[in-house]
Amino acid sequence: LGMRRVAALEKQNHQQMYGKKGVISNEELSAKEKTRALAIAKKKSSMAMGLATGPGKSLFMNGFMMYMSGSTLNMWSISVTGMSIMTPLKNMFGISSQFKRFEDSSGKVDLQMPKLIFLALNLLWLCVGLYKMSKMRLLPTVSADWSGRVVWKELMEVSSIPPL
């Protein structure tokens, strides 16, 4: 079953359940309609889990691309590193819109675990990108990176005698 087929089955179920008579109780639903609704919920759940594990599949490819780009500063390594930072951030901020198509009005599809897996894999991807940035010396990780913020003491007294 593809997503189009699931949407068509959902529409057909909705029309049968909420026909011209109004809301039909659970007792009036046939076994076939119940199994169809359960199949739709299972399909949505499996597709949500597939979306959740998507960043994990691309994590190894992006890690290899970052390894092959080296640690020198050039256009390729900066663009690959920038992509490895921006993509997880966009994914994490748009998590609700990405899982919106799998939501179920009856609440049969639990999206909590796929969302947590999606978030964890994106955080891992972000950590790999930050590690690459630190290896390229683009992140301030040593004390010399902060030397511009060091306040130098003003000497109160100056002597021409050299120290011993």
Side-chain angles (χ1 to χ4, degrees), residues 30-135:
S30 67
K32 184 178 179 182
E33 291 168 345
K34 287 181 182 179
T35 56
R36 184 184 296 168
L38 188 61
I40 290 172
K42 283 183 181 179
K43 183 63 178 176
K44 281 186 173 184
S45 179
S46 68
M47 291 184 79
M49 192 57 76
L51 177 69
T53 57
K57 294 173 187 172
S58 62
L59 180 68
F60 294 110
M61 178 194 65
N62 288 314
F64 181 71
M65 285 173 52
M66 286 189 282
Y67 169 74
M68 292 304 287
S69 68
S71 62
T72 59
L73 290 176
N74 54 39
M75 283 302 291
W76 175 254
S77 62
I78 290 174
S79 67
V80 168
T81 307
M83 178 195 65
S84 70
I85 299 294
M86 292 305 293
T87 304
L89 288 175
K90 283 192 270 187
N91 285 344
M92 285 187 284
F93 287 127
I95 193 168
S96 61
S97 65
Q98 290 185 356
F99 282 94
K100 191 164 194 75
R101 63 182 172 176
F102 303 118
E103 290 177 356
D104 192 22
S105 60
S106 63
K108 291 183 182 178
V109 181
D110 183 28
L111 295 177
Q112 204 169 29
M113 188 55 75
K115 283 183 178 181
L116 286 174
I117 291 171
F118 186 77
L119 187 66
L121 289 175
N122 276 304
L123 282 174
L124 183 64
W125 190 1
L126 182 66
C127 289
V128 169
L130 289 174
Y131 175 76
K132 175 69 174 177
M133 282 185 74
S134 72
K135 287 299 173 188

